[in-house]
């Protein structure tokens, strides 16, 4: 359950921060998992569909948060025209199941014209990584490095989403513990947060707090809050779900 919250939290947080050369930025990876078709047919259909999906994902990564709803609607013909190449990063065929990861690369200037034409602001400069510190609270107990911390475990299972803002999760090793302890007071100590950020080469530290609560009728509630310290102004992101 907590891993699902972490995935959504990553998406919201990285959209809020916004920022590799143009060739590295203007590409998109597509995951394929098709059953019930011969591998050759599934591969051909996936290669044909990859540019459109990858272009839509790319535009969402590039667009500034305020302009997400203004992204242009594109068709397969436009995506094919802007695609420079489509390659297979890895693939596996087992019987009637085909699993693969494809990568489409796009003409940077063509994508820029598309976004500008729709009046969409975008960023293509890579930023320093963001270091996430997953803090879990249940009752009076606050955990960062101490186990069990299901919130830290959920974050450690998330792959870096790529794009303009690299995401780091701490190793929870002795150096991390030495830089910043796990009690609530130290977590709010800005000098120690900046120390651990510097060691990881990060520009920001995002304190990702997941608090387990109960509703009035006794149902469990996870409340998630983000507090950011570093190169960007502090901000909070709240996610609630049952």
């Amino acid at each position: 359950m907590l891993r699902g919250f972490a995935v959504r939290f990553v998406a919201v947080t990285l959209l809020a921060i916004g920022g590799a050369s143009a060739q590295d930025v203007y590409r998109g990876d597509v995951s394929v998992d098709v059953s019930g078709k011969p591998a050759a047919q599934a591969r051909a259909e996936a290669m044909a569909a990859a540019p459109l999906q990858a272009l839509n994902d790319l535009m969402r990564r590039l667009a500034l948060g305020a302009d997400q709803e203004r992204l242009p609607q594109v068709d397969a013909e436009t995506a094919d025209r802007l695609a420079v190449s489509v390659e297979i990063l890895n693939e596996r065929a087992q019987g009637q199941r085909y699993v693969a990861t494809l990568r489409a690369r796009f003409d940077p200037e063509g994508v820029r014209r598309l976004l500008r034409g729709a009046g969409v602001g975008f960023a293509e400069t890579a930023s320093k990584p963001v270091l996430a510190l997953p803090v879990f609270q249940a009752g009076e107990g606050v955990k960062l490095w101490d186990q069990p911390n299901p919130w830290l475990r959920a974050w450690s299972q998330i792959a870096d989403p790529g794009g303009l803002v690299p995401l780091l999760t701490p190793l929870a090793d002795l150096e991390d513990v030495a830089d910043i302890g796990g009690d609530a007071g130290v977590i709010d100590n800005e000098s120690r947060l900046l120390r651990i950020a510097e060691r990881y080469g990060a520009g920001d530290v995002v304190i990702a707090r997941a608090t387990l609560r109960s509703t009035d009728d006794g149902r469990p509630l996870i409340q998630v809050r983000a507090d950011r310290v570093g190169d960007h102004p502090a901000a909070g992101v709240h996610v609630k779900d049952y």
Side-chain angles (χ1 to χ4, degrees), residues 146 151 224 242:
D146 293 341
W151 186 229
V224 180
Y242 292 99

Side-chain angles (χ1 to χ4, degrees), residues 30-218:
V30 176
S31 297
V32 178
D33 191 340
V34 179
S35 297
K37 295 181 179 181
Q41 178 184 350
R43 180 189 299 111
E45 293 179 358
M47 293 283 286
L52 181 57
Q53 181 178 338
L55 179 58
N56 282 318
D57 290 345
L58 170 62
M59 291 192 297
R60 282 192 292 270
R61 293 202 310 271
L62 292 177
L64 300 181
D67 289 341
Q68 288 289 319
E69 296 182 356
R70 300 167 60 185
L71 287 172
Q73 297 293 318
V74 297
D75 54 23
E77 182 179 352
T78 300
D80 290 342
R81 175 172 53 82
L82 293 176
V84 175
S85 65
V86 180
E87 60 182 310
I88 299 173
L89 297 183
N90 58 70
E91 64 178 347
R92 185 176 74 256
Q94 295 178 328
Q96 292 290 299
R97 185 183 181 192
Y98 176 74
V99 180
T101 301
L102 310 181
R103 172 169 293 171
R105 298 179 183 273
F106 297 93
D107 171 36
E109 188 54 42
V111 177
R112 293 186 190 111
R113 286 196 299 268
L114 183 64
L115 293 173
R116 288 170 182 152
V120 174
F122 59 96
E124 56 185 14
T125 303
S127 72
K128 288 184 178 180
V130 172
L131 176 66
L133 295 181
V135 178
F136 183 69
Q137 181 170 359
E140 297 299 321
V142 177
K143 293 184 178 181
L144 176 55
W145 312 126
D146 293 341
Q147 295 299 327
N149 182 345
W151 186 229
L152 175 60
R153 185 170 64 251
W155 275 80
S156 66
Q157 295 171 352
I158 299 174
D160 187 333
L164 304 178
V165 186
L167 177 69
L168 303 176
T169 304
L171 299 174
D173 58 13
L174 292 177
E175 287 186 283
D176 290 340
V177 176
D179 278 346
I180 175 172
D183 62 277
V186 177
I187 291 167
D188 293 329
N189 187 310
E190 183 172 338
S191 63
R192 291 200 176 188
L193 292 173
L194 295 177
R195 182 189 308 166
I196 193 172
E198 181 179 3
R199 185 162 57 80
Y200 275 92
D204 287 305
V205 174
V206 172
I207 304 172
R209 303 174 190 262
T211 303
L212 179 61
R213 304 183 186 278
S214 296
T215 61
D216 292 339
D217 58 1

